[in-house]
């Protein structure tokens, strides 16, 4: 996508694609100024590849990813390309061209997934704005997903059908995997969680892709001393251990999120969460931007093949910018039920 931005009046253009993926943020143009900006957009359909003709009679196969009603309400799995212009936009020309590009595939849960309506947001849908126009983000994360459910809903099959040598697979699960009262999807941090992570890593490597592990962002639960209470530590530790064992980069969003929340403190940290801070797990635009900034920082430091594509400003989790400094224009689409999972 290439946009010509600018007009006879000053303007500030924000662009989101598909399910509110932020691709351009607050692009300012002066009176009479015209600039061009390019970005990549992942578009997809739910169909899965069919078996070869000589295996079609008995090969196990499914026609498409198992979508639910919420999936079908989003602007991700349809046959359209959706763009949202907000702020005080000034777009005079738009060029759309098909392209194959190195791709960052993301798999995970609601803290990663593209949230299609306000007031919810995730780091996965903010990340495109922090990368250049030479690399694509394909965010396949699903609210409520665990390592198990992502498999049985055929979402991993969809990712593996498209992933190519040199692509990257970012893997972040934990919030739902730890729920023992979800018996069909629960995995314990000592045995089954590491086993599933090894499987995802192996499937990526078999296709020549680069696996990257991400520890889950912590929930916003402060103790009496203003410190964040650990709820995901055993799973974050398992990710770090598997990363070392498998020689896979680990983006430690768990530690970064704790540093961010504690730097904001109990009074300001709710500003980073949805439902005016009533939600302690799911972020709003501000919180999602902070999480994505931490991810971009770690990509720059730990994934050499991606470092040159990161255009985000330097970020220190111990000194996060204020919500006024981030100021992402909200979308018009509103949705009050929280995403699945917590």
């Amino acid at each position: 996508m290439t946009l010509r931005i600018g007009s006879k009046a000053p303007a500030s253009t924000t662009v989101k694609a598909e399910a509110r993926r932020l691709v351009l943020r607050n692009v300012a143009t002066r009176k009479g100024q015209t600039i061009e900006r390019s970005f990549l957009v992942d578009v997809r359909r739910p169909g899965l590849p069919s078996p070869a003709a000589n295996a079609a009679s008995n090969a196990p196969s499914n026609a498409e990813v198992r979508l639910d009603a919420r999936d079908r309400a989003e602007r991700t799995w349809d046959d359209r390309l959706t763009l949202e212009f907000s702020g005080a936009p000034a777009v005079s020309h738009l060029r759309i061209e098909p392209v194959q590009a190195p791709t960052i595939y993301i798999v995970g849960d609601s803290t990663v997934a593209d949230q299609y309506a306000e007031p919810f947001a995730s780091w996965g849908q903010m990340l495109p704005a922090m990368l250049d126009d030479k690399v694509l983000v394909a965010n396949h994360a699903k609210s409520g997903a665990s390592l198990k459910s992502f498999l049985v809903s055929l979402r991993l099959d969809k990712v593996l059908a498209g992933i190519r040598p040199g692509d990257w697979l970012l893997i972040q699960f934990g919030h739902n995997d730890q729920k023992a009262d979800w018996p069909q999807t629960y995995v314990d941090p000592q045995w089954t969680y590491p086993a599933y992570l090894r499987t995802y890593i192996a499937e990526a490597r078999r296709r020549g892709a680069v696996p990257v592990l991400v520890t889950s962002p912590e929930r916003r639960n402060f103790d009496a001393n203003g410190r964040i209470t650990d709820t995901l530590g055993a799973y974050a530790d398992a990710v770090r251990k598997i990363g070392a064992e498998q020689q896979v980069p680990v983006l430690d969003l768990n530690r970064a999120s704790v540093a961010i929340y504690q730097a904001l403190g109990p009074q300001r940290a709710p500003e980073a969460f949805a439902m005016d801070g009533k939600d302690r797990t799911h972020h709003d635009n501000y919180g999602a931007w902070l999480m994505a900034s931490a991810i971009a920082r770690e990509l720059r430091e730990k994934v050499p093949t991606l470092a040159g594509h990161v255009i985000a400003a330097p970020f220190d989790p111990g000194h996060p910018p204020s919500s006024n400094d981030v100021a992402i224009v909200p979308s018009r689409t509103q949705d009050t039920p929280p995403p699945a999972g917590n």
Side-chain angles (χ1 to χ4, degrees):
M1 309 287 300
T2 303
L3 304 184
R4 186 178 303 137
I5 301 173
S7 71
K8 296 178 180 179
S12 178
T13 302
T14 290
V15 184
K16 301 175 188 178
E18 299 288 85
R20 296 174 56 239
R21 299 173 207 154
L22 186 66
V23 289
L24 295 178
R25 169 179 166 263
N26 302 342
V27 178
T29 47
R30 301 183 304 274
K31 177 180 178 180
Q33 180 187 18
T34 301
I35 62 175
E36 281 197 352
R37 287 292 184 89
S38 298
F39 52 86
L40 303 181
V41 178
D42 171 58
V43 292
R44 71 184 78 123
R45 297 175 181 174
L48 292 167
S50 300
N54 60 353
S57 61
N58 57 11
S61 64
N62 289 272
E64 61 180 39
V65 174
R66 292 170 181 158
L67 304 180
D68 58 27
R70 192 168 183 125
D71 294 322
R72 297 186 187 280
E74 299 176 3
R75 298 178 177 90
T76 297
W77 297 98
D78 57 19
D79 292 330
R80 300 181 178 91
L81 169 63
T82 301
L83 296 176
E84 173 187 335
F85 302 94
S86 54
V91 177
S92 61
H93 182 77
L94 168 64
R95 187 170 71 250
I96 303 173
E97 302 167 284
V99 65
Q100 292 286 344
T103 302
I104 302 171
Y105 286 88
I106 305 176
V107 298
D109 54 37
S110 58
T111 61
V112 194
D114 292 341
Q115 300 298 338
Y116 81 105
E118 301 285 350
F120 304 99
S122 78
W123 67 258
Q125 68 192 125
M126 298 292 172
L127 188 61
M130 300 185 178
L131 303 169
D132 65 20
D133 61 356
K134 302 299 188 295
V135 65
L136 175 66
V137 175
N139 188 2
H140 285 252
K142 166 68 175 170
S143 294
S146 69
L147 285 162
K148 276 187 179 181
S149 72
F150 203 84
L151 280 169
V152 300
S153 63
L154 306 178
R155 292 174 183 272
L156 184 61
D157 295 79
K158 182 65 178 179
V159 169
L160 297 178
I163 206 165
R164 297 166 178 261
D167 288 344
W168 304 265
L169 178 64
L170 272 58
I171 307 163
Q172 185 214 284
F173 291 93
H175 281 84
N176 302 312
D177 304 76
Q178 70 173 181
K179 294 171 182 171
D181 57 345
W182 290 16
Q184 294 183 4
T185 57
Y186 170 70
V187 291
D188 76 279
Q190 183 178 3
W191 299 107
T192 44
Y193 183 73
Y196 276 100
L197 287 179
R198 291 188 189 99
T199 297
Y200 278 61
I201 290 168
E203 292 286 7
R205 283 177 165 164
R206 186 170 80 82
R207 291 160 176 81
V210 179
V212 179
L213 296 174
V214 184
T215 59
S216 297
E218 191 49 82
R219 299 176 175 92
R220 178 178 52 86
N221 296 311
F222 284 93
D223 64 19
N225 298 314
R227 309 294 292 177
I228 288 293
T229 301
D230 170 31
T231 68
L232 286 153
Y235 288 83
D237 285 343
V239 171
R240 297 178 191 114
K241 183 177 179 180
I242 292 298
E245 170 198 296
Q246 297 285 318
Q247 296 184 319
V248 171
V250 174
L251 313 183
D252 206 338
L253 187 56
N254 185 267
R255 284 179 177 154
S257 65
V258 170
I260 290 167
Y261 304 156
Q262 291 181 169
L264 292 173
Q267 301 304 315
R268 291 177 55 212
E271 297 176 12
F273 287 80
M275 308 294 289
D276 295 323
K278 296 181 181 68
D279 194 313
R280 294 176 178 268
T281 300
H282 302 110
H283 297 102
D284 58 12
N285 290 319
Y286 171 51
W289 181 266
L290 296 180
M291 298 302 110
S293 297
I295 290 291
R297 176 179 185 262
E298 300 244 321
L299 286 174
R300 186 181 272 138
E301 294 177 355
K302 298 178 180 179
V303 186
T305 51
L306 273 174
H309 295 289
V310 177
I311 59 173
F315 179 76
D316 178 2
H319 297 87
S322 70
S323 56
N324 288 334
D325 289 336
V326 173
I328 294 170
V329 181
S331 301
R332 291 185 178 182
T333 308
Q334 297 284 324
D335 190 26
T336 50
N342 57 41

